[in-house]
């Protein structure tokens, strides 16, 4: 009698975009990641977690150890995820205000980022958002996030060939393949770090 193959482990990924703009290229990267995951990556589920509704970080809003409802909901999504996927635009050589705000809220006691694997992708001009990624990695040291080192994904959005359509959707096949490779690396790293088999 043939032995049945073991079920492939499923990891839950929380995807966060640092841009609030609906047509953001970085949000387009996340949409592409979700689509690629659904079509061709077994064992990974990506959920986009919106940060637009979070209030500005203010410890006066913490009452008797509880956080505002939007913050509690966000923290719960991060806590439940096996790993994190950031799409980090570059504002003034760094990560965005909304992303830093979300990071700070989820780092409040208990720090729900701690010991989670993570990956970063970014799209923009020049360096393709690279400086934001390196600043985010610095922040991750304190958060106890474990970022994959390779592959790095910087998308130079304004250089030919055209990478995104007018609504911010990723249309470039080569970039889609790079997103897929990033996801596969995050999947393998998550299994290894979490000792899932």
């Amino acid at each position: 009698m043939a032995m049945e193959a073991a079920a492939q482990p499923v990891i839950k990924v929380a995807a966060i975009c640092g841009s609030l703009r609906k047509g953001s290229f970085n949000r387009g990267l996340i949409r592409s990641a979700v689509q690629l995951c659904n079509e061709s990556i077994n064992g990974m589920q990506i959920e986009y977690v919106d940060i637009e509704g979070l209030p500005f970080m203010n410890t006066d809003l913490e009452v008797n150890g509880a956080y505002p409802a939007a913050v509690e909901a966000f923290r719960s999504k991060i806590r439940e995820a096996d790993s994190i996927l950031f799409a980090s635009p570059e504002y003034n050589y760094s990560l965005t205000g909304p992303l830093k705000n979300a990071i700070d809220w989820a780092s409040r006691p208990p720090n729900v980022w701690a010991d989670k694997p993570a990956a970063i992708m970014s799209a923009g001009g020049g360096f393709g958002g690279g400086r934001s990624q390196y600043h985010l990695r610095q922040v991750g040291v304190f958060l106890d996030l474990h970022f994959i080192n390779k592959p790095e994904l910087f998308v130079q959005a304004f250089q030919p060939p055209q990478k995104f359509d007018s609504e911010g959707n990723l249309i470039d096949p080569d970039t889609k393949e790079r997103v897929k490779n990033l996801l596969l690396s995050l999947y393998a790293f998550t299994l290894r770090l979490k000792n899932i088999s």
Side-chain angles (χ1 to χ4, degrees):
M1 183 175 178
M3 292 180 62
E4 292 186 11
Q8 186 166 11
V10 176
I11 67 166
K12 294 168 57 177
V13 181
I16 302 167
C17 180
S19 174
L20 304 183
R21 191 171 67 85
K22 301 303 179 191
S24 160
F25 295 153
N26 287 276
R27 193 172 291 203
L29 288 175
I30 289 179
R31 284 195 298 272
S32 182
V34 171
Q35 182 179 10
L36 286 164
C37 188
N38 291 339
E39 292 174 353
S40 59
I41 302 177
N42 294 323
M44 176 180 274
Q45 297 174 349
I46 300 176
E47 179 181 0
Y48 171 65
V49 181
D50 196 354
I51 62 174
E52 186 171 2
L54 295 175
F56 285 132
M57 172 65 199
N58 180 354
T59 55
D60 287 344
L61 299 178
E62 301 176 20
V63 180
N64 298 323
Y67 299 97
V71 174
E72 291 283 10
F74 175 70
R75 287 172 54 86
S76 178
K77 293 288 187 184
I78 302 305
R79 185 184 300 109
E80 293 166 2
D82 296 304
S83 56
I84 311 296
L85 176 64
F86 292 99
S88 182
E90 182 178 314
Y91 288 7
N92 300 317
Y93 281 15
S94 188
L95 62 160
T96 68
L99 180 55
K100 184 61 165 61
N101 186 58
I103 287 170
D104 291 344
W105 271 124
S107 72
R108 297 294 297 161
N111 171 20
V112 294
W113 302 111
D115 210 30
K116 292 191 184 292
I120 320 171
M121 52 188 180
S122 60
F127 192 11
R131 295 178 187 89
S132 74
Q133 291 200 26
Y134 293 146
H135 276 194
L136 181 52
R137 286 177 182 274
Q138 285 182 299
V139 173
V141 172
F142 181 80
L143 300 175
D144 199 23
L145 276 168
H146 306 295
F147 286 104
I148 62 171
N149 291 322
K150 297 288 190 317
E152 293 182 303
L153 180 54
F154 313 119
V155 181
Q156 295 175 317
F158 305 106
Q159 293 184 1
Q162 185 177 351
K163 310 294 193 309
F164 299 88
D165 66 16
S166 60
E167 296 180 342
N169 297 306
L170 182 63
I171 58 173
D172 178 54
D174 289 342
T175 304
K176 286 185 178 182
E177 187 65 22
R178 293 172 64 202
V179 172
K180 182 178 177 179
N181 289 337
L182 181 79
L183 296 176
L184 290 172
S185 181
L186 177 61
Y187 178 75
F189 184 58
T190 302
L191 294 183
R192 189 166 78 248
L193 194 66
K194 299 287 188 179
N195 197 24
I196 302 172
S197 59

